[in-house]
């Protein structure tokens, strides 16, 4: 094996591993969603039951900012995991038979059987 080929294989492996979210990232995404749900609960209750003062409005704005930041991170994670999932599906479908009905000398029926002319 030449060094160039080894480098190319290593770079492909590194690219593939960095494209897929790590298990820790899934855990962090879950914890971010839990935190977002709790922030939504806190916002709802401060608006409903808290005194309507300037300080409480500031608290609400801070909570809303934190919620938006968590949702932005969650959206980036969702996009990254979908791209990774899409790549995995493409890789899994490579090499499968892609025959057109006429290539095998017959037509395919819906039940998978072939009519030979």
């Amino acid at each position: 094996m030449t060094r160039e080929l080894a480098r190319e294989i290593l770079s492909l492996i590194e690219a593939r591993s960095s494209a897929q979210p790590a298990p820790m990232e899934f855990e962090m995404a879950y914890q971010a969603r839990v935190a977002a749900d709790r922030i939504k609960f806190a916002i709802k209750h401060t608006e409903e039951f808290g005194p309507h003062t300037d300080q409480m409005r500031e608290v609400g704005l801070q909570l809303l900012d934190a919620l938006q930041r968590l949702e932005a991170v969650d959206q980036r994670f969702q996009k990254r995991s979908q791209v990774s999932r899409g790549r995995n599906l493409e890789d899994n479908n490579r090499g499968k038979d892609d025959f057109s009905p006429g290539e095998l000398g017959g037509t395919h029926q819906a039940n998978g059987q072939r009519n030979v002319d």
Side-chain angles (χ1 to χ4, degrees):
M1 180 182 287
T2 66
R3 286 186 177 177
E4 186 61 36
L5 180 60
R7 285 184 187 141
E8 187 176 332
I9 291 171
L10 182 60
S11 68
L12 289 171
I13 291 170
E14 288 174 344
R16 184 179 199 124
S17 66
S18 66
Q20 296 176 345
M24 184 61 155
E25 290 177 277
F26 283 99
E27 175 66 22
M28 293 299 294
Y30 171 76
Q31 294 299 334
R33 284 188 174 196
V34 170
D37 286 343
R38 290 183 179 177
I39 291 171
K40 287 176 188 177
F41 178 81
I43 290 171
K44 178 182 170 189
H45 281 280
T46 55
E47 288 176 352
E48 190 174 333
F49 301 116
H52 299 289
T53 63
D54 289 340
Q55 290 86 1
M56 289 304 286
R57 270 189 233 108
E58 180 63 28
V59 167
L61 290 174
Q62 292 293 325
L63 287 170
L64 189 60
D65 181 58
L67 178 63
Q68 289 171 342
R69 290 170 186 254
L70 284 172
E71 288 175 341
V73 169
D74 185 54
Q75 288 173 355
R76 284 194 299 267
F77 174 78
Q78 292 296 325
K79 286 179 185 175
R80 183 168 179 222
S81 64
Q82 288 173 355
V83 167
S84 174
R85 212 174 320 138
R87 285 184 186 148
N88 287 341
L89 290 174
E90 288 174 11
D91 291 345
N92 290 339
N93 288 333
R94 278 192 196 132
K96 294 199 176 177
D97 297 333
D98 293 328
F99 294 112
S100 64
E103 279 185 73
L104 298 174
T107 57
H108 294 276
Q109 295 176 345
N111 63 4
Q113 296 178 344
R114 192 166 50 111
N115 292 335
V116 179
D117 296 328

